[in-house]
Amino acid sequence: MFGLRKKHPKRKKQRRTGKRRRKGVSVRNRLLRWPVLLSLLVAGVVPFLVYVLYLDAQVQTQFEGKRWALPAHVYARALELYPDQALTAGQFATELKMLGYRELSRPQIPGSYVRLGNAFVLTTRAFQFWDGDEKSQSLRMEFSADKLLGIWQANTGDSVDLLRLDPPLIGNIYPSHREDRILVQMDDVPPLLIDALLAVEDREYFSHHGVSPQSILRALWVNLRAGKTVQGGSTLTQQLVKNFFLTNERTLWRKFNEAIMALLLEFHYDKNEILEAYINEIYLGQDGRRAIHGFGLASQFYFGQPLKKLAPEQIALLVALVKGPSYYDPRRRSARALERRNLVLHLLAEQGRLDPEIAQRASADASTVLPQNSTRVSRVPAFIDLVRRQLKRDYSDTDLNSEGLRIFTTLDPIVQRATEQAVSLQLDRLQREGVDADIQGAAVVANVNDGEIQAVVGGRDPRFAGFNRALDAVRPIGSLIKPAVYLTALMHAEQYTLASLLDDGPLDVDMGGGEHWQPQNFDHQNHGISYAGKDHQVLLNNALVHSYNIATARLGMTLGVPTVIETLRGLGAERPLTEYPSLLLGAANFSPLDVTQMYHTLAAGGFRTPLRAIRAVLTADGQPLQRYPLSVTRAFDNKSVYLLNNALRAVTREGTGQNLQYYLPEGMVVAGKTGTSDELRDSWFAGFSESHVAAVWLGLDDNRPAGLTGSRGALRVWGNILSRLDTASLPVGDLPAGIEMVWIDRRNGLSSDDDCPYAVQLPFIIDTQPAGQSACEFDAQNE
């Protein structure tokens, strides 16, 4: 024991001596390590600096380039109102609801109205059109049973001659991520919105450099006191970086990148510029597949108002959504949203940014939001498809889905709704009558006066954005082609009139190679009488009215198939056509849109107007890019077209289309033609009134026989569409210059007295009426 104690001092001395030695060695070693440490330091700092430079390049490239891919916004026609317009109070109320107007007892804010029987008081929304701005106005309107009596300024009583409402948004052409936003500048942002953002999300925004340790600590303290998450620690700049540059993954690496990029963003850019980007970028809700970004669009989505028009409680609600648009969704979780909104109002008052009395009143307000479907894009996929195809002639896909174009179209929501309802109703009825459950339909409706397409239905389910039958169901049109044959004949007035006799007897055409074409009438009968040594003679007029195949085929072959094709081109047909005789009876494939184009030329009296779905295109900031004006070409002589259209009117009164009388209002005069393809595979009807032209197709997608003639299927849909529209009847009795009415004996095509038992009155180009006179006592036994 003692020996050990004696040695202990020595060991301590040795230990001290050894310690000194180690210290000396340590100093030398440290000196030797400095290059190593410097190398390690350089090895760590240089990659870090390189990475920071990489992040800096990303920040500057993305932030200085095109920051957002903005979808194109597609609008329907704007409702124009004027005294004595044919419009009911009910129709006007429907239009206002479709636009998302709110019914309020005191309609003082834009986009609100009150209805008092047949009178309305409303405040319109301001809107920027391609031809100028429409300002918000407070107006009074009165209706009678069937028309608008007048429009007056609500405050002064001054009469208004013309009013144009803002157009309904009918669709968007999205970028791949389906984000939508309305870009706003700082001048358009209410100061209270900025105050609310700063009060709730980032009090030191204008003093920090992108990251705020104080905010992190204060948020932690506030949340601990509240017992729940009330404030976040991220700055507005960090939130912008997360939304604009990064993903939402919750990792330390993402937070690290977020902090570095926030510092870089603040180093390069002004605070107001960053704040403006945040206001336009932040995610604030979901509308189906459309993501609502930015306060500009959120203001319209929730309140139907421009951002600068919002009340304090509305601004507070939008700021409340920043924390969690789904969690605080005011439509599905209203109590939770109001609690969060009131917290925002309380913080504004507490920090002296809002008068406490105003905050108190705002907290008591229910702050109702619009129903979701009042601002949701109404789905008309078939029409939007047509718009996209027409736009592609002038714009690339990138332009369409990223430049924020504002596209003004010709769609009439009232006509579109009527067409959808008619297609669905009649297809359901046909199915109940035993027609195949897979029966499909398509329809196109256009305005006769200007060629504007007002409605497109691409299938039985008008909301289905799949196969667009109105544009892509290219099927044989059957007898719809016959007017082209007869117009070709009538253009040769010295040879053919409506009273010309055609042969409807058996026809056998040698096609060569042992093949023969033997067309048959639908009823497998040969029509007409014997006259002048010939059997089965029918009037040209009657051959069209009753859709006789044999007479038509024989006439078309006499005229020449290439000549008939030339007429089809003049009507607007652009698809490939084959010079076979069967083309004369409809062995040519067209879509409902193609057919509408051809019949529009007839409805317009021989003037060809390319059908259009677009009126104008503006840039995102309202600068005009392109107009789509009316283009008209004289394709046919109006007198020949008048004769043809007279026969097409007779089709709907006494021919294959006479069943229209069961669907149209009493006394309405229209013109049209049925069409049926071989084996009843396709059912067609096309025709026009004074103001509307429409084509309808029914059939099965797999080309199986649908079992429907044109009169049993498509005619019913067409008649139901026209019965729902405020359409003008074709005029009767008004003859164009150079046309006269002559009484004809329908048995032989000779002139007749008006009191003869077989007399019919037909129009003729002057000096082309028959020279012979028929005897009233003509023997009709062979008729």
Side-chain angles (χ1 to χ4, degrees), residues 25 36 177 217 227 261 352 383 443 533 544 704:
V25 172
V36 177
H177 48 65
L217 293 174
M261 295 176 87
F383 186 85
L544 176 56
R704 287 182 291 117

Side-chain angles (χ1 to χ4, degrees), residues 76-87:
R77 65 94 182 98
L79 180 63
E80 293 186 344
L81 301 161
Y82 49 87
D84 295 324
Q85 180 179 3
L87 185 71

Side-chain angles (χ1 to χ4, degrees), residues 505-518:
L507 177 62
D508 187 319
V509 181
D510 187 352
M511 301 294 294
E515 293 187 8
H516 289 259
W517 183 53
Q518 298 176 323

Side-chain angles (χ1 to χ4, degrees), residues 408-434:
F408 295 88
T409 76
T410 61
L411 182 127
D412 187 317
I414 295 175
V415 178
Q416 177 71 26
R417 188 183 306 111
T419 306
E420 291 175 0
Q421 292 171 345
V423 171
S424 298
L425 174 67
Q426 294 302 323
L427 289 182
D428 288 345
R429 286 181 177 174
L430 287 169
Q431 185 177 342
R432 290 195 296 270
E433 293 172 9

Side-chain angles (χ1 to χ4, degrees), residues 224-235:
L224 287 173
R225 290 182 59 188
K228 58 183 178 180
T229 303
V230 176
Q231 290 185 12
S234 296
T235 65

